[in-house]
Amino acid sequence: MGELGLGQEFHTWQQFSSFFDDWCEEHKVLFIIASLKPLISLRQHPLHYQPNLAETLRFRFVRLICKHSGTYVGQSTVQRNKLSEKIDCPASITLRLGPKKDRLVVIEASLEHNHKLSEVEFAHYFKRHQLEASMGLPIRITNSVSKRFLAPDLVWNLEDYSKAKDKGMCELLSQLDGLFKSDPGAKVKLVFQEDVAVLNSIFLATSHMRGLAQHFPRCLYMDKATCVNSEFDLYSVLCQDANGQGRECAYCVARRGVPDLVIFIVASLVQSVPDIKLKVKCLTVGAGITDVDAVEEVLPCARVQICRLQVLEALYRKAHELGVPKEDKVRNLLHNMANASSPRVYSQYLSDLEDVAPLDFLQYYLETWHHNKGTWAECWAFEKNRDCPFLEHMSFHQQKLRSALSPPMGLAACVRGLLDLQALRVEMAALNEERVSELYRAVCPPENAALIAEELSLAKHANYHVKEVPEGFLLDGGICSFVVSQDLAACSCSIYVSSRRPCRHLFATRLWTGQPLYDPSLLQTPPSPEEQDT
């Protein structure tokens, strides 16, 4: 067991936890924490060295002992007497904060056990990431709250539990507490590993995000948006608004390797906005998301698609990695299969691929992509001969995330960045809505003022944006269809054309594109009494 020894250094607690899990698995040994001292507590004054070390290192002293040593921290004398019959194994490992205050150093490594190691016992008791468990949250509580929407008062109680022992968890809960204070309708889940207070994922949807899903449920898009740190990734769910723009309606920060993640995210979104269950017609995911088989159980009216262009990119990369001969021909066949106009045409190109491609690539294709061809080939598409905006939506979304997130980062900082990004958009919408509403009411008859209220309600969720197309463009939000000229001077709606009233569509479009709200071309001659009657 020479891999772990005196003087070995670890720059983060996660680094030690991952190393120690691998080491324990290799040697089939079970250790528990006998004692520890947090690096910093919220009830103490901050130390002079870098405050972010409290989250990355977590502890200034940790002592691990063999599970058979018979010593368990926090147990009563009676319990200890019951355990005294166990073997008093001397194996132990101790880490302490190094002299430079920036790393943990192994200062004791007694690795010899005085008993036989049992692989059966190891398989029963060992769980990865146990050292990353929250030291402040009781397991009975993490088991009870896991996968359920959190109540605001529960978040405060969890935060109070964590103050003395787990600064990182306390900071995360503090962000969620602030969210509920400003947005009581937000939906949040914390998922912990069963029987271990290890956080595996966070689901988050603000009231604004839920409203977007409620208004625009027809097509949803989901993919891994960015890496948060070496352990966690951020997944985003977008909807497509009335202007064809991708809008965030749910976030999930998840530990890599967590099973059934897609089902968890989709089910959580449906639970937070129940009305969309039968309204979602298509869910498009990235090529890196493969566990989509059970999605239709949660969304019974929806088709699941995998982004066709990403599938092709993955196939091209694999062909290049394997050094496939006649690579250009293979790429052409793959492209033709992806864009086949019918299942018969797809089968013809597949037969050609079998004649050309080497066995290893063909095996990869058949096992990885052929069996779910109905999710990505054109002839089985949800809407044939229509461009999928998946890449455009995700690319724009990732650009926005880069302005708010700076990976690698802790979970609390990630959640704070996501909430700041959402709060800014909601505040701007509320401010601009008030300004536009006042201007519209100033030039409109009172009985018609409800028109702008309706349109602004839609605009808040649609985020109108003028696209670079000749003459004009079509906006269809399920409430009305209209064409606004690219210079924002005219609208085809019946109100603007017949009554010469201030057009609510032009107001909303100017609002979301940053144009001046007051424009003489918008304020037409007041309607005559005859026009008002119509």
Side-chain angles (χ1 to χ4, degrees):
M1 296 188 181
E3 309 94 315
L4 181 63
L6 294 176
Q8 196 160 353
E9 299 178 343
F10 300 92
H11 292 271
T12 68
W13 181 249
Q14 187 277 323
Q15 180 189 7
F16 172 73
S17 173
S18 178
F19 170 85
F20 196 67
D21 281 349
D22 293 340
W23 184 81
C24 288
E25 279 191 304
E26 180 181 353
H27 300 289
K28 301 297 184 291
V29 291
L30 294 167
F31 279 80
I32 60 172
I33 294 178
S35 60
L36 54 82
K37 295 179 181 179
L39 185 69
I40 187 172
S41 168
L42 292 186
R43 297 188 177 124
Q44 299 172 342
H45 294 294
L47 301 179
H48 64 279
Y49 42 86
Q50 299 179 6
N52 63 335
L53 287 178
E55 185 172 350
T56 57
L57 290 180
R58 292 185 63 181
F59 309 108
R60 54 191 172 93
F61 175 87
V62 179
R63 185 165 183 264
L64 299 155
I65 59 176
C66 175
K67 178 179 173 63
H68 295 283
S69 65
T71 303
Y72 288 78
V73 175
Q75 289 186 327
S76 66
T77 303
V78 175
Q79 288 172 314
R80 288 180 181 177
N81 289 337
K82 288 181 180 180
L83 291 169
S84 62
E85 299 176 3
K86 291 187 177 181
I87 301 170
D88 189 15
C89 180
S92 64
I93 300 162
T94 304
L95 296 92
R96 186 184 294 277
L97 192 66
K100 295 183 179 180
K101 312 295 185 184
D102 63 347
R103 67 198 68 186
L104 290 169
V105 181
V106 177
I107 62 171
E108 177 192 6
S110 301
L111 306 180
E112 295 298 326
H113 298 259
N114 62 0
H115 57 91
K116 185 178 180 180
L117 304 178
S118 169
E119 292 192 13
V120 174
E121 182 186 26
F122 179 85
H124 179 73
Y125 287 106
F126 179 77
K127 293 181 180 179
R128 293 187 66 88
H129 309 297
Q130 289 190 83
L131 294 183
E132 296 179 56
S134 172
M135 301 301 171
L137 298 181
I139 291 176
R140 60 181 175 81
I141 292 181
T142 58
N143 282 349
S144 66
V145 305
S146 189
K147 296 185 180 181
R148 299 180 181 179
F149 288 122
L150 296 178
D153 56 344
L154 178 58
V155 173
W156 187 88
N157 290 333
L158 294 176
E159 184 182 355
D160 192 54
Y161 271 117
S162 302
K163 281 184 178 179
K165 293 184 177 180
D166 195 334
K167 185 173 184 293
M169 178 60 71
C170 189
E171 289 179 344
L172 171 62
L173 292 167
S174 177
Q175 293 298 322
L176 299 179
D177 184 39
L179 168 63
F180 282 123
K181 287 178 180 177
S182 61
D183 182 9
K187 295 293 186 181
V188 178
K189 286 183 180 181
L190 297 180
V191 180
F192 293 89
Q193 185 175 328
E194 187 176 2
D195 296 330
V196 184
V198 174
L199 183 61
N200 277 348
S201 56
I202 307 166
F203 175 86
L204 170 65
T206 66
S207 295
H208 182 63
M209 297 165 76
R210 293 171 61 208
L212 288 168
Q214 180 85 42
H215 277 75
F216 309 106
R218 184 173 183 269
C219 294
L220 301 180
Y221 308 87
M222 180 169 58
D223 201 6
K224 184 179 82 173
T226 188
C227 297
V228 176
N229 52 42
S230 59
E231 286 289 296
F232 287 86
D233 293 322
L234 170 65
Y235 290 80
S236 298
V237 182
L238 310 181
C239 59
Q240 182 166 289
D241 67 18
N243 190 33
Q245 301 297 301
R247 307 291 300 282
E248 305 92 287
C249 54
Y251 293 122
C252 183
V253 182
R255 187 184 296 275
R256 290 185 194 132
V258 172
D260 304 321
L261 181 62
V262 174
I263 297 300
F264 166 71
I265 296 174
V266 174
S268 298
L269 178 59
V270 171
Q271 290 167 3
S272 63
V273 194
D275 291 348
I276 72 172
K277 183 177 180 70
L278 302 178
K279 296 179 181 179
V280 178
K281 302 304 179 184
C282 182
L283 171 67
T284 304
V285 302
I289 296 178
T290 55
D291 53 336
V292 296
D293 294 338
V295 168
E296 292 181 4
E297 296 178 9
V298 183
L299 298 172
C301 299
R303 286 278 307 279
V304 179
Q305 289 189 161
I306 301 176
C307 177
R308 189 179 311 131
L309 291 177
Q310 287 194 349
V311 172
L312 280 175
E313 289 175 359
L315 287 167
Y316 294 162
R317 284 196 302 270
K318 191 66 175 182
H320 184 73
E321 291 172 6
L322 296 177
V324 172
K326 300 181 182 179
E327 184 176 337
D328 289 343
K329 187 172 183 179
V330 169
R331 288 168 64 102
N332 288 336
L333 288 171
L334 294 171
H335 179 272
N336 292 339
M337 292 168 66
N339 295 279
S341 58
S342 70
R344 181 181 60 82
V345 174
Y346 173 90
S347 298
Q348 289 175 348
Y349 285 121
L350 176 60
S351 178
D352 294 339
L353 182 69
E354 292 172 344
D355 294 336
V356 175
L359 182 59
D360 53 354
F361 178 81
L362 189 61
Q363 183 177 358
Y364 162 78
Y365 177 79
L366 294 175
E367 293 178 354
T368 309
W369 296 111
H370 174 67
H371 75 281
N372 61 2
K373 57 186 180 299
T375 62
W376 58 272
E378 164 68 18
C379 56
W380 290 285
F382 170 64
E383 294 178 316
K384 294 183 180 180
N385 303 316
R386 292 282 298 273
D387 291 334
C388 176
F390 175 88
L391 290 178
E392 179 182 355
H393 291 342
M394 283 297 169
S395 176
F396 184 63
H397 171 61
Q398 289 168 343
Q399 289 178 20
K400 290 190 293 184
L401 289 178
R402 281 194 286 270
S403 68
L405 307 180
S406 300
M409 60 197 312
L411 297 183
C414 176
V415 170
R416 180 170 60 249
L418 295 175
L419 294 179
D420 288 346
L421 190 63
Q422 290 298 315
L424 177 62
R425 299 178 65 84
V426 174
E427 289 171 4
M428 290 298 295
L431 175 63
N432 288 329
E433 179 177 344
E434 182 179 353
R435 291 174 57 202
V436 177
S437 183
E438 290 176 357
L439 179 58
Y440 194 89
R441 286 185 171 88
V443 297
C444 251
E447 61 270 18
N448 295 322
L451 291 172
I452 190 62
E454 176 191 346
E455 189 61 31
L456 288 173
S457 176
L458 176 63
K460 182 191 297 186
H461 300 291
N463 190 15
Y464 291 165
H465 178 72
V466 179
K467 295 183 178 179
E468 295 296 330
V469 297
E471 300 302 327
F473 63 99
L474 179 68
L475 298 181
D476 185 354
I479 296 177
C480 59
S481 297
F482 50 90
V483 176
V484 177
S485 64
Q486 194 166 340
D487 60 4
L488 301 185
C491 180
S492 68
C493 70
S494 59
I495 295 174
Y496 182 83
V497 173
S498 64
S499 301
R500 295 173 296 174
R501 295 171 182 156
C503 173
R504 55 180 175 151
H505 307 135
L506 290 177
F507 269 75
T509 309
R510 282 179 168 273
L511 162 64
W512 288 107
T513 56
Q515 302 295 321
L517 298 177
Y518 180 85
D519 190 305
S521 66
L522 297 181
L523 305 182
Q524 303 292 324
T525 305
S528 65
E530 294 79 9
E531 290 175 323
Q532 287 191 22
D533 292 339
T534 61

